[in-house]
Amino acid sequence: MATLHFLLSSPTPLPLPNPSLSLHFPLKPLVSFPRREQHKRIHGAAVATDSAHPAVELQNDPLQETQKQEQTPRLVLPTNDSSDELLRIRHTCAHVMAMAVQKLYPEAKVTIGPWIDNGFYYDFDMEAVTDKDLKRIKKEMDRIIKRNLPLVREEVSRDEAQRRIMAINEPYKMEILDSIKEDPITIYHIGNEWWDLCAGPHVETTGRINNKAFELESVAGAYWRGDEKKPMLQRIYGTAWENEEQLKAYLHFKEEAKRRDHRRIGQDLDLFSIQEEAGGGLVFWHPKGAIVRHIIEDSWRKTHIEHGYDLLFTPHVARADLWKISGHLDFYKENMYEQMEIEDELYQLRPMNCPYHILVYKRKLHSYRDFPIRVAELGTVYRYELSGSLHGLFRVRGFTQDDAHIFCLEDQIKDEIRGVLDLTEEILLQFGFSKYEVNLSTRPEKAVGDDGIWDKATTALQDALDDKGWSYQVDEGGGAFYGPKIDLKIEDALGRKWQCSTIQVDFNLPNRFDITYVDSNTEKRRPIMIHRAVLGSLERFFGVLIEHYAGDFPLWLAPIQVRVLPVTDTQLGFCSEVIGKLKANGIRAEVCHGERLPKLIRNAEKQKIPLMAVVGPKEVETHSVTVRSRFGGELGTMNIDEFIGSIQQAIKNRTSL
């Protein structure tokens, strides 16, 4: 899909990947908090609800924690857009940090230091920075803030700016000065002790920064100007807020995000890995992760067939000429792998799926009566990413897009877009995502296609969104050069927003590939082409799912739905019978033994198994199991058929047991 390369892009590495800024705090974690065995109180005495088996200290109670979260007052953190004061604080923090660094490390050369979503950073050409160094820098920043030094704006000529930069030997600043096209040049001073090329804005004095409302968070390597051929710099990240309460809320969120990190959970639950022997950015789906992927794919295919799509499978490579026609070799070559020579012809690993779908369209002549034509594919693509930019499942080198293309007539655009919006909502709701941020991007200054078709397509997108009843923001001039688009971000359990779905009208590729149809007057016409994806990529979406649920997948999606636990190994024979019946009824189950029951239960809790079926002598005798639900607690003893029926009903309704 020509328009989807950004879907797997993660932002410049921050302490928190891709966080939303309109988050609610404080957030109570949904899972993994210790609790004691549930008890009932009879005549003042505490009695275990399950007296048939040893008392066990369970590791988590997700239901209890979710209820606590819902009852917790929430603090809405400001953003750079909503608070001009916060933006100024963050920008000034970057300058204060740079001043502190150069006081402590006089040989350090400064480059750039902007505000960012959660705070600020500054890049330095200096020796490697350690955690101990961060503490020293923070203390020096506190001293500068306490002195309440003024921030003073000055305008100077380009020659004067050049003279001052040469005097302090700051080569990177000279390069920045050369890139500034406007005159005069603006400089911001902190007192009379430090200055920087800067357009602002800033707070009036350093004392406006609350030294208990900012922290230095981490250090990362960053190439100057993002060019791997240029020097590696030391990028110091900080977070800054208006007050201490906001900082504490942010740090709480950060800890919760860390607990939900899909890379850690993926390892703990044995879902996937990146094997360095095979190469960075290449995902290995382990058996449990592969089961979840299989469920996602089956659900995706079923929904698409119901919505009138034909499914495709296309090759992973093609002759290089195909990518010349599509324009990828001209505009996207840096993200493509080197070509390979096969029998004196050059071939290319595919970075996109759309040229293949166009070739399928071109295999025969189409009539206007054939439209709309909808084709979809879970197509694996390969894109070159710098090793330093790779990030778990969020930024990889090989991934599978849920790609689809619609070929239609001009007067069908609105209905087709509305159909895509309905399908998108249906699929996302299946996985628990009901809150979205929607953006409509319109014609940029440079574009292909005449004004009439752009206006018609843009109006069709707007009308479809209005019909759907979704609120959206318009990004004037933010569309691609080949057509307007709709982008949709989903909101996860922490309120973070993730770019997944996109709908893109394309006036470019139909021309490049000269695709046509025969209209009612037997004349050849150019069809409208719509690119669209719902999940974006399976790898990225799986990473989002892991973090959304903190690995606590709902029953229908869990790789293992039931773990059967014998009290002793003498019950293993009956456990095997239970497993056989569960699997025969489509329930994913396994048996674990060899440890005392309390440890078996704790292990199942750690592995986030939704249901545990405990089997002791009594259960063998009565052909039953005693059920413990991860979300519902003790469910008591059930016969096997009753247990199976309850699970099947819960899976059908996509609820917990």
Side-chain angles (χ1 to χ4, degrees):
M1 178 177 289
T3 61
L4 295 180
H5 63 272
F6 58 87
L7 292 182
L8 267 93
S9 299
S10 63
T12 303
L14 298 175
L16 293 173
N18 200 22
S20 163
L21 296 179
S22 54
L23 302 174
H24 296 88
F25 300 92
L27 290 165
K28 291 292 184 181
L30 299 179
V31 291
S32 298
F33 276 71
R35 71 173 176 90
R36 293 291 178 181
E37 179 76 6
Q38 293 183 353
H39 291 79
K40 292 180 180 176
R41 195 164 287 277
I42 303 175
H43 300 299
V47 181
T49 57
D50 181 8
S51 58
H53 306 300
V56 177
E57 182 179 317
L58 299 181
Q59 299 299 304
N60 0 49
D61 186 350
L63 182 62
Q64 201 173 79
E65 292 300 331
T66 300
Q67 290 170 344
K68 287 181 182 178
Q69 180 187 10
E70 291 171 351
Q71 296 167 2
T72 303
R74 298 188 298 181
L75 170 67
V76 179
L77 284 179
T79 69
N80 293 329
D81 291 331
S82 68
S83 173
D84 181 66
E85 179 71 7
L86 178 61
L87 183 151
R88 291 171 181 269
I89 287 170
R90 288 172 170 171
H91 196 186
T92 304
C93 276
H95 279 224
V96 170
M97 179 172 70
M99 177 177 173
V101 166
Q102 291 199 305
K103 277 182 171 290
L104 296 172
Y105 308 94
E107 299 303 314
K109 302 299 181 185
V110 293
T111 61
I112 57 171
W115 68 85
I116 53 176
D117 285 350
N118 297 314
F120 58 94
Y121 74 78
Y122 212 110
D123 288 347
F124 302 94
D125 189 348
M126 61 183 296
E127 61 191 55
V129 177
T130 66
D131 289 342
K132 185 177 179 180
D133 293 325
L134 291 183
K135 292 177 181 178
R136 288 187 66 203
I137 296 167
K138 173 65 166 66
K139 287 182 179 179
E140 184 60 34
M141 289 178 70
D142 289 341
R143 283 191 282 268
I144 295 170
I145 290 168
K146 188 176 181 180
R147 292 171 63 194
N148 198 26
L149 297 172
L151 275 290
V152 180
R153 183 178 184 273
E154 180 188 11
E155 293 184 357
V156 299
S157 68
R158 186 173 296 272
D159 288 343
E160 175 61 16
Q162 187 176 53
R163 185 191 67 77
R164 293 187 190 184
I165 292 170
M166 292 177 67
I168 59 175
N169 188 27
E170 290 283 4
Y172 296 98
K173 288 299 177 186
M174 190 65 74
E175 188 174 333
I176 293 171
L177 177 64
D178 291 340
S179 69
I180 298 173
K181 304 304 179 185
E182 299 82 12
D183 286 309
I185 305 301
T186 58
I187 288 174
Y188 270 85
H189 298 262
I190 299 180
N192 295 317
E193 302 175 31
W194 190 88
W195 62 269
D196 198 1
L197 296 175
C198 185
H202 289 279
V203 294
E204 291 82 1
T205 68
T206 59
R208 293 291 298 273
I209 299 170
N210 184 337
N211 66 351
K212 293 184 177 179
F214 83 92
E215 282 192 3
L216 300 186
E217 296 189 286
S218 62
V219 183
Y223 291 112
W224 171 235
R225 298 295 196 187
D227 187 343
E228 61 183 316
K229 296 178 181 178
K230 293 184 177 180
M232 173 68 77
L233 307 174
Q234 295 291 299
R235 175 170 295 178
I236 302 178
Y237 285 104
T239 187
W241 301 89
E242 295 167 330
N243 54 57
E244 192 174 359
E245 182 186 22
Q246 291 175 4
L247 175 62
K248 287 180 178 178
Y250 166 76
L251 294 176
H252 176 83
F253 164 77
K254 184 180 173 182
E255 283 303 308
E256 178 61 11
K258 182 179 178 181
R259 188 181 70 83
R260 291 169 178 261
D261 191 315
H262 73 280
R263 295 167 297 179
R264 180 186 62 79
I265 293 175
Q267 182 176 359
D268 291 347
L269 301 186
D270 196 21
L271 300 172
F272 73 92
S273 63
I274 309 292
Q275 300 288 338
E276 291 305 321
E277 294 159 278
L282 303 173
V283 181
F284 286 71
W285 295 75
H286 298 182
K288 290 179 181 178
I291 287 173
V292 179
R293 173 170 175 159
H294 176 72
I295 296 167
I296 295 171
E297 289 186 356
D298 276 0
S299 177
W300 184 92
R301 291 190 181 98
K302 179 177 181 292
T303 305
H304 277 74
I305 291 171
E306 290 172 351
H307 281 256
Y309 285 79
D310 293 317
L311 303 184
L312 301 179
F313 291 95
T314 58
H316 290 218
V317 297
R319 291 164 64 181
D321 288 346
L322 185 68
W323 308 106
K324 290 180 182 178
I325 297 171
S326 69
H328 287 94
L329 281 177
D330 292 327
F331 302 108
Y332 199 67
K333 188 174 183 180
E334 68 275 10
N335 297 103
M336 298 168 68
Y337 282 98
E338 293 294 326
Q339 296 172 4
M340 61 191 89
E341 186 174 325
I342 301 174
E343 296 181 350
D344 297 326
E345 287 191 296
L346 293 176
Y347 281 75
Q348 180 79 55
L349 276 173
R350 66 175 175 188
M352 310 279 184
N353 298 307
C354 32
Y356 294 83
H357 293 189
I358 291 174
L359 293 183
V360 172
Y361 174 90
K362 288 188 69 173
R363 77 191 188 279
K364 63 180 182 180
L365 186 65
H366 292 280
S367 163
Y368 69 97
R369 297 185 183 91
D370 298 333
F371 294 110
I373 296 170
R374 309 182 190 104
V375 294
E377 177 182 14
L378 293 168
T380 301
V381 298
Y382 304 90
R383 299 178 189 172
Y384 173 67
E385 299 281 357
L386 293 173
S387 59
S389 69
L390 300 174
H391 183 85
L393 297 176
F394 292 154
R395 194 154 189 170
V396 294
R397 287 172 170 163
F399 54 93
T400 301
Q401 286 188 319
D402 69 317
D403 232 347
H405 295 90
I406 300 170
F407 302 92
C408 65
L409 307 176
E410 287 184 20
D411 58 7
Q412 294 174 330
I413 298 176
K414 175 189 170 183
D415 289 342
E416 288 306 303
I417 297 297
R418 174 59 196 271
V420 173
L421 296 177
D422 290 341
L423 177 142
T424 297
E425 182 178 40
E426 181 178 340
I427 290 177
L428 294 178
L429 282 174
Q430 291 175 9
F431 296 99
F433 298 107
S434 59
K435 296 181 180 180
Y436 320 119
E437 177 186 296
V438 183
N439 294 285
L440 170 64
S441 300
T442 62
R443 182 174 185 163
E445 186 175 340
K446 294 183 179 179
V448 298
D450 60 56
D451 292 345
I453 188 60
W454 266 90
D455 291 343
K456 191 166 187 176
T458 303
T459 299
L461 267 61
Q462 289 175 319
D463 289 346
L465 286 168
D466 291 338
D467 280 358
K468 184 65 179 170
W470 282 355
S471 61
Y472 60 93
Q473 296 179 334
V474 177
D475 179 11
E476 295 289 354
F481 73 93
Y482 42 78
K485 65 177 180 175
I486 295 171
D487 291 322
L488 185 147
K489 296 178 182 178
I490 58 177
E491 184 175 313
D492 70 6
L494 292 186
R496 297 174 297 182
K497 294 184 175 71
W498 304 88
Q499 173 71 60
C500 285
S501 309
T502 191
I503 307 167
Q504 172 79 64
V505 180
D506 189 346
F507 309 132
N508 181 47
L509 286 185
N511 286 326
R512 281 182 168 272
F513 282 91
D514 191 27
I515 63 174
T516 61
Y517 70 92
V518 177
D519 69 8
S520 58
N521 296 318
T522 67
E523 294 182 359
K524 285 189 175 183
R525 300 286 186 186
R526 195 82 72 203
I528 297 295
M529 182 178 182
I530 301 172
H531 306 261
R532 49 112 296 201
V534 177
L535 307 179
S537 83
L538 295 184
E539 287 76 9
R540 179 179 173 84
F541 186 71
F542 186 43
V544 173
L545 269 181
I546 292 171
E547 299 203 0
H548 178 62
Y549 289 112
D552 244 318
F553 297 113
L555 179 63
W556 71 274
L557 191 57
I560 301 297
Q561 295 166 317
V562 180
R563 182 172 284 184
V564 180
L565 308 175
V567 175
T568 67
D569 283 359
T570 57
Q571 289 90 43
L572 276 176
F574 180 68
C575 289
S576 296
E577 290 182 34
V578 173
I579 290 291
K581 288 184 178 180
L582 290 169
K583 289 185 175 181
N585 284 275
I587 297 167
R588 299 183 291 277
E590 65 182 14
V591 62
C592 281
H593 63 98
E595 303 281 358
R596 290 174 56 83
L597 182 61
K599 187 170 183 179
L600 291 176
I601 292 176
R602 282 194 292 272
N603 289 342
E605 287 284 330
K606 289 179 180 178
Q607 288 297 302
K608 305 181 188 294
I609 307 297
L611 295 169
M612 288 169 274
V614 179
V615 174
K618 182 180 177 182
E619 285 79 10
V620 174
E621 182 181 339
T622 58
H623 279 72
S624 62
V625 291
T626 297
V627 182
R628 297 174 183 263
S629 168
R630 182 161 174 76
F631 289 92
E634 303 292 344
L635 302 183
T637 301
M638 302 181 187
N639 65 54
I640 304 304
D641 291 338
E642 179 188 3
F643 184 43
I644 290 172
S646 298
I647 295 173
Q648 290 176 326
Q649 189 64 33
I651 292 172
K652 180 181 178 181
N653 296 331
R654 299 200 170 178
T655 59
S656 58
L657 196 61

